[in-house]
Amino acid sequence: MNSATLSCIGLAGLAVMGQNLALNVAEKGFPISVYNRTTSKVDDTLVRAKDEGNLPLTGYYNPKDFILSIQRPRSVVLLVKAGAPVDQTIATLSEYLEPGDAIIDGGNEWYENTERRIRDAENQGILYLGMGVSGGEEGARNGPSLMPGGSHEAYKNVEHILMKIAAQVNDGPCVTYIGAGGAGNFVKMVHNGIEYGDMQLISEAYDVLKTVGGLSNEELAGIFHEWNRGELESFLIEITSDIFKVKDESGSGDLVDMILDKTGMKGTGKWTVQQAAELSIAAPTIAASLDSRYLSGLKAERENASRVLQEAGIDGDNLGSIRTVDKKQLVDDVRQALYASKICSYAQGMNLLRAKSMEKSWNLNLGEMARIWKGGCIIRARFLDRIKQAYDRNVNLANLIVDPEFAKEMVQRQGAWRRVVGLAIESGISTPGMCSSLAYFDTYRRARLPANLVQAQRDLFGAHTYERVDIPGSFHTEWTKLAKARSGAFN
């Protein structure tokens, strides 16, 4: 094949994300070769490339022709289902790859799988990147947030392409080299964990406003639209406003009210919580969002519990109607509570990234992570710029809560935050995300906790020892013996 006709890059896996990312690359002027084991996917992509302006995209129906159509050093993006399908695709394509060529896995992969594949690829002289891609179908087509990690040489080979296809914000494209090994996949995993928290908090704001405040979907659409013009401006707030506007085409009323209250998931939120536990990082907001998804899946059990507990005396039909509320005040309080809760959720995610970076020597730049999330991705939000500024002010910032600017905002909003959580509890409305965020804030801000009693208990039943506030060293006390002796003094 004439080198002048070779493609700049290849992409294998033409489901929704792969097809849209391939069209994005072609639209930016980079000739791209595409391949899919199911040939109809190749045909569909070719039709779209033609319909969208005869984009420089060429389809191939066998792996050999696909690989040989790419200029060396070859860079091949994989967008196939994580796990075994990735290994199978790598095995198929590796037969035709040569030393110096690179594989770029754009799926939601477990970071240790990426690190294993990096080692395997190195044995063949092949470079490897694990690249988080966020933004869904729209982001892939028009500009995602990209989180590549692994071989720096592989990244440099495609940096010029990634810089063009990524979302563009005021301070540059939403892509950066994350770090070695599985850093890119890990950062994307935490991004998704923060996303879980964000979505849970928004759903709780909706529940309080609708159930306690009695607001209609039309009113909620207006409220979220207004919120999206202020400090809460974000992709998730924007689409939430849109959701409340959609009517049910299969019946009367609004579509959102006809959706079954069971939430799906693909695993990244669970991985985030597991990693937080492994690294001893408190992530209660993210964990609460995961627990809420688990509980939502128990639909039949919840319906039965509702019946049983109503028979036992709880008034399940009148949730939220405990007393009259000032709707205007409630809307403003919920806005402030949502903002403060989000700060805690992002703080937990950032602390998890920092802990893993230290363990793996990835040298993650947390401010840069916030910057590349400002566009393209699901958690893109106005206040990510504020997070970037916080880490620019102090690269060793222990927690977003203690950044001077965020600290002021948390203090200013805590009154509204406590009112919302208290009202929800009083009304029988579960707000696990907001409650967890508030508990995180209240625990982190206290100079002294009741952990002294827990340590005393551990020492009593397990001789685990304890430290004192006034004398250095470890101590053990015969608590039961001394307590019995003391008890005798009261007889």
Side-chain angles (χ1 to χ4, degrees):
M1 187 177 292
N2 190 314
S3 62
T5 64
L6 295 175
S7 296
C8 295
I9 192 170
L11 187 146
L14 295 172
V16 173
M17 286 291 288
Q19 185 177 98
N20 279 283
L21 193 66
L23 293 168
N24 183 358
V25 171
E27 185 180 56
K28 298 303 188 295
F30 300 104
I32 182 171
S33 296
V34 299
Y35 164 75
N36 197 89
R37 191 173 60 177
T38 305
T39 58
S40 61
K41 297 283 189 183
V42 178
D43 293 334
D44 291 344
T45 307
L46 290 173
V47 170
R48 281 193 65 186
K50 182 179 180 181
D51 291 346
E52 295 185 20
N54 289 317
L55 300 177
L57 182 149
T58 308
Y60 292 89
Y61 299 91
N62 69 74
K64 182 177 181 180
D65 290 346
F66 167 63
I67 294 298
L68 295 180
S69 72
I70 306 165
Q71 67 185 25
R72 296 206 65 210
R74 302 181 184 96
S75 296
V76 181
V77 179
L78 308 184
L79 273 166
V80 299
K81 188 177 180 181
V86 176
D87 290 313
Q88 292 161 7
T89 305
I90 291 172
T92 298
L93 300 181
S94 293
E95 290 186 42
Y96 311 104
L97 293 172
E98 301 176 72
D101 293 345
I103 294 171
I104 304 168
D105 178 15
N108 276 332
E109 188 57 89
W110 174 237
Y111 84 99
E112 289 184 341
N113 284 342
T114 295
E115 297 193 333
R116 167 179 58 80
R117 290 174 187 139
I118 288 172
R119 294 190 295 270
D120 293 342
E122 284 176 347
N123 293 333
Q124 301 177 58
I126 296 172
L127 311 178
Y128 199 95
L129 276 179
M131 182 171 71
V133 179
S134 180
E137 178 180 354
E138 179 188 346
R141 181 64 184 86
N142 301 311
S145 174
L146 300 172
M147 294 154 257
S151 166
H152 190 257
E153 182 182 350
Y155 171 72
K156 296 303 290 184
N157 288 345
V158 293
E159 182 180 30
H160 62 296
I161 298 176
L162 301 183
M163 299 279 273
K164 289 288 186 181
I165 68 170
Q168 307 293 316
V169 292
N170 60 347
D171 50 5
C174 293
V175 60
T176 191
Y177 175 72
I178 301 295
N185 292 120
F186 193 91
V187 168
K188 175 56 163 57
M189 177 198 76
V190 173
H191 162 286
N192 285 19
I194 294 171
E195 180 184 309
Y196 272 50
D198 249 358
M199 295 172 74
Q200 176 64 29
L201 293 169
I202 291 171
S203 75
E204 292 174 14
Y206 153 66
D207 196 11
V208 171
L209 292 174
K210 187 177 182 71
T211 308
V212 180
L215 276 73
S216 68
N217 290 333
E218 184 178 358
E219 289 174 309
L220 289 166
I223 289 165
F224 277 84
H225 176 75
E226 188 62 30
W227 285 356
N228 199 47
R229 299 169 63 183
E231 64 188 11
L232 287 172
E233 179 187 341
S234 66
F235 173 72
L236 286 170
I237 294 292
E238 177 187 349
I239 66 170
T240 301
S241 176
D242 290 342
I243 286 168
F244 291 126
K245 300 172 186 174
V246 178
K247 297 297 180 182
D248 181 14
E249 294 181 351
S250 300
S252 61
D254 299 322
L255 181 56
V256 67
D257 295 326
M258 299 309 298
I259 296 175
L260 186 67
D261 53 323
K262 288 175 65 175
T263 307
M265 66 193 85
K266 291 188 175 179
T268 46
K270 180 176 73 173
W271 293 345
T272 303
V273 174
Q274 288 173 333
Q275 280 295 292
E278 289 285 337
L279 293 163
S280 301
I281 297 297
T285 310
I286 299 172
S289 71
L290 185 66
D291 288 340
S292 294
R293 293 196 183 197
Y294 292 150
L295 283 166
S296 79
L298 303 177
K299 177 65 173 175
E301 290 185 36
R302 288 188 288 111
E303 289 179 336
N304 182 61
S306 178
R307 286 191 297 270
V308 170
L309 292 169
Q310 283 189 56
E311 290 171 2
I314 197 167
D315 192 357
D317 290 330
N318 293 306
L319 283 174
S321 60
I322 52 165
R323 53 186 162 86
T324 303
V325 296
D326 182 326
K327 287 188 179 182
K328 186 176 180 181
Q329 181 67 56
L330 179 64
V331 169
D332 191 61
D333 281 354
V334 171
R335 174 187 60 80
Q336 295 187 65
L338 179 55
Y339 185 81
S341 297
K342 278 167 64 75
I343 292 173
C344 290
S345 183
Y346 279 72
Q348 293 159 30
M350 289 299 187
N351 286 352
L352 177 54
L353 288 178
R354 182 179 59 192
K356 196 67 176 182
S357 178
M358 293 174 64
E359 179 191 76
K360 304 287 286 187
S361 299
W362 284 339
N363 196 30
L364 295 183
N365 182 329
L366 298 185
E368 184 70 352
M369 299 305 100
R371 187 195 70 77
I372 66 170
W373 291 343
K374 285 167 55 179
C377 70
I378 304 302
I379 65 170
R380 60 184 183 266
R382 174 189 289 190
F383 93 140
L384 279 161
D385 199 45
R386 315 259 329 278
I387 293 177
K388 178 184 181 300
Q389 292 167 12
Y391 286 109
D392 286 347
R393 284 190 290 269
N394 180 4
V395 70
N396 296 314
L397 183 65
N399 193 301
L400 286 175
I401 291 172
V402 295
D403 170 74
E405 295 301 314
F406 279 124
K408 289 177 187 175
E409 295 191 330
M410 299 291 277
V411 171
Q412 290 167 356
R413 287 160 178 76
Q414 68 163 336
W417 197 5
R418 297 181 194 284
R419 284 194 295 273
V420 170
V421 169
L423 181 61
I425 292 171
E426 188 180 356
S427 305
I429 304 297
S430 60
T431 52
M434 287 187 182
C435 287
S436 295
S437 285
L438 182 56
Y440 179 81
F441 173 72
D442 281 338
T443 302
Y444 192 75
R445 71 180 177 83
R446 289 185 64 187
R448 183 166 174 82
L449 295 170
N452 55 316
L453 180 58
V454 175
Q455 278 300 92
Q457 292 169 334
R458 294 179 72 244
D459 188 51
L460 187 153
F461 66 66
H464 293 295
T465 75
Y466 58 89
E467 296 177 86
R468 294 177 57 98
V469 298
D470 55 347
I471 307 170
S474 295
F475 298 86
H476 170 60
T477 295
E478 296 291 340
W479 297 91
T480 303
K481 179 180 178 181
L482 293 175
K484 286 181 178 178
R486 179 67 173 164
S487 296
F490 292 102
N491 294 332

